[in-house]
Amino acid sequence: MRCLSPLFFFALFSYAQAQSSAKQTIPDFKEKPSVHWTFRVATPIIASPLVSDNLVYFGALDSTFYALDTRSGKISWKLKTRGQIRSTPLVTGNILYLNGGDGNLYCLDKMTGKIKWTFASNGEKKYDFADYHQSSPILYNNTVYFGSGDGNVYAVKADNGTKRWSYQTGNIVHTTPAIDNNKVFVGSFDGYVYALDVASGALVWKFKTLGHRFFPAGEVQGSPVVAKGLVFIGARDYNVYAIDQNKGYCHWNKAFTRGWGLANTIHDSVLHIGGADERVLIAAVPETGREYWKKPMEFLIFGSNAYSESMFYAGTTIGKLHGIDARTGEKVWTVTTEGYSKNRLKYFKPDDAYRDDIYTIIKSNEHFLEVEYELGGIFSTPAITPDLLIFTTTEGTVYCLRR
């Protein structure tokens, strides 16, 4: 199932109408927030934080899951697993579900970290060095759904960890599932997007990506988002696809020329697309893909956005968190990491363009990732509350910003 890219058009008036149609509860951080506290671990943090009841939860590449007090930044409790944690936890009531990075799904008491039960998959693994995230668990009808490095999508009973069903794809599943209209949507590194029956796990349809000369399999690395009867998902073949939720065919696709568009979010009936190597941020009409606006970014985007009334907040892998006007795409303010401030001139000019001798300094893709780690790159989605913005970085620091 394949499709060609449509023409894209600018429609600011329609965008303003779409933005005004939804009610938000978190006021905008219109002024640049200040650092309330920081917390440091010894390894990079790829996973996104989650806030619940004055605790912020996150996992790190040191195989440890942390719960910090949002008021002080001090550890409330922590749990050691046997694998690097690259996913976001799920909280419901007093229960927390965690993909531990070691092939186990953990059910924990969110206040104490006490393990209630674990579910073991057939093991976790990475596809390659650029396989940054793992699948995060989601909850629907007392069932927890998640993908695994063993190639399976799992549905597990939320109360006792018993498996309801599993579905085997052709490769690693590190996308976070999305559920709508009795279907579970996931992408696999085998190059397919899958729609599965939410109750039985039976295949409803699967969609094959186009592939690319550098990535002929068209590995699906971006997580799906669902709206307007469509599934939006990015793959390594430089495409973002809008796939019919019921029949599995492509309505439109956005083709990039320089790299991946894996970070996609829907808010107020607007699709936001983060282009990685393209270094752009796009606001588009979900039904057609036509652009409201398209803004340059100084570096790569791999995390999703956090939203308030009329702004959103996005991080880049150079170590910058931006507060952005959702209507226009203009940056309102920027917070930089310590790693960026300390190390950026090793690799960049003052305007964040690469140094002229950069290819004598960075000689491989793996080294490029190490540089992003050094800069305190933001690969995660910020957590937002009425008073706080919290984000994690690859320098191993959690930043808590206060209004």
Side-chain angles (χ1 to χ4, degrees):
M1 300 177 182
R2 301 181 178 184
C3 65
L4 298 175
S5 298
L7 295 175
F8 292 88
F9 305 96
F10 188 83
L12 184 58
F13 178 72
S14 298
Y15 180 74
Q17 286 183 318
Q19 285 288 349
S20 65
S21 64
K23 297 180 180 179
Q24 302 303 318
T25 57
I26 296 179
D28 294 328
F29 286 76
K30 294 182 179 180
E31 303 295 329
K32 181 178 176 178
S34 60
V35 176
H36 182 33
W37 52 257
T38 61
F39 178 85
R40 190 73 181 261
V41 301
T43 61
I45 307 170
I46 299 290
S48 300
L50 178 104
V51 175
S52 178
D53 290 339
N54 293 320
L55 290 175
V56 56
Y57 304 94
F58 69 95
L61 299 192
D62 63 359
S63 304
T64 304
F65 186 71
Y66 297 87
L68 309 181
D69 189 303
T70 57
R71 294 159 293 194
S72 65
K74 297 185 181 300
I75 295 177
S76 178
W77 57 262
K78 61 182 179 179
L79 172 73
K80 187 72 171 179
T81 72
R82 297 181 179 180
Q84 295 182 339
I85 302 173
R86 298 170 175 267
S87 64
T88 308
L90 166 71
V91 168
T92 176
N94 290 319
I95 301 299
L96 183 146
Y97 299 97
L98 169 69
N99 181 350
D102 54 6
N104 291 315
L105 178 70
Y106 293 83
C107 176
L108 310 172
D109 183 296
K110 79 170 187 179
M111 301 307 297
T112 66
K114 181 180 179 180
I115 297 175
K116 294 181 174 295
W117 54 256
T118 61
F119 170 83
S121 70
N122 293 322
E124 188 54 82
K125 63 180 178 180
K126 286 181 67 178
Y127 186 77
D128 58 16
F129 81 97
D131 179 12
Y132 304 122
H133 298 101
Q134 294 158 342
S135 180
S136 299
I138 66 169
L139 180 68
Y140 178 78
N141 278 355
N142 198 38
T143 303
V144 180
Y145 300 85
F146 72 103
S148 173
D150 66 10
N152 278 290
V153 182
Y154 289 98
V156 178
K157 290 184 179 180
D159 52 358
N160 59 21
T162 303
K163 185 174 78 172
R164 289 188 183 274
W165 55 258
S166 63
Y167 181 89
Q168 180 75 53
T169 74
N171 213 314
I172 288 170
V173 179
H174 278 166
T175 61
T176 296
I179 294 178
D180 194 51
N181 197 24
N182 295 317
K183 300 180 190 68
V184 182
F185 304 100
V186 295
S188 171
F189 275 77
D190 64 5
Y192 284 92
V193 180
Y194 293 83
L196 309 175
D197 183 88
V198 72
S200 67
L203 178 67
V204 179
W205 53 256
K206 65 179 181 177
F207 170 88
K208 181 66 182 73
T209 58
L210 292 166
H212 186 278
R213 62 176 177 148
F214 297 133
F215 303 95
E219 298 94 332
V220 184
Q221 187 167 348
S223 292
V225 291
V226 181
K228 307 289 185 178
L230 298 172
V231 180
F232 304 94
I233 195 164
R236 285 191 175 188
D237 65 356
Y238 293 23
N239 280 289
V240 173
Y241 296 93
I243 304 169
D244 190 276
Q245 184 185 121
N246 293 318
K247 298 182 179 179
Y249 65 87
C250 185
H251 282 232
W252 58 264
N253 71 296
K254 169 65 176 173
F256 291 102
T257 58
R258 297 176 55 191
W260 306 337
L262 304 180
N264 300 288
T265 48
I266 289 280
H267 185 74
D268 284 1
S269 299
V270 175
L271 171 66
H272 290 113
I273 303 172
D277 291 280
E278 209 86 2
R279 301 186 188 181
V280 294
L281 186 62
I282 296 170
V285 179
E287 294 92 334
T288 64
R290 77 176 186 268
E291 295 174 3
Y292 294 121
W293 49 254
K294 181 178 182 179
K295 298 294 183 179
M297 299 293 285
E298 81 283 341
F299 220 61
L300 315 185
I301 303 171
F302 283 111
S304 297
N305 307 324
Y307 292 88
S308 57
E309 287 180 345
S310 61
M311 291 180 64
F312 64 89
Y313 312 89
T316 66
T317 59
I318 199 176
K320 289 186 174 183
L321 180 76
H322 299 292
I324 299 171
D325 185 302
R327 187 181 65 86
T328 65
E330 298 296 332
K331 298 182 182 73
V332 178
W333 50 257
T334 299
V335 170
T336 58
T337 63
E338 294 178 7
Y340 169 84
S341 301
K342 180 180 178 181
N343 299 307
R344 69 187 183 96
L345 293 181
K346 296 180 185 178
Y347 311 104
F348 301 100
K349 299 176 183 178
D351 64 354
D352 287 336
Y354 280 123
R355 285 175 40 166
D356 294 335
D357 60 349
I358 190 64
Y359 292 112
T360 67
I361 302 171
I362 303 177
K363 298 182 179 181
S364 69
N365 288 326
E366 289 78 4
H367 187 197
F368 185 84
L369 181 59
E370 292 174 7
V371 169
E372 292 177 310
Y373 282 7
E374 187 180 358
L375 292 167
I378 303 169
F379 284 74
S380 56
T381 302
I384 186 169
T385 77
D387 296 308
L388 302 175
L389 267 171
I390 301 175
F391 64 98
T392 58
T393 72
T394 53
E395 65 194 341
T397 302
V398 181
Y399 289 83
C400 178
L401 308 181
R402 183 168 55 185
R403 186 182 299 279

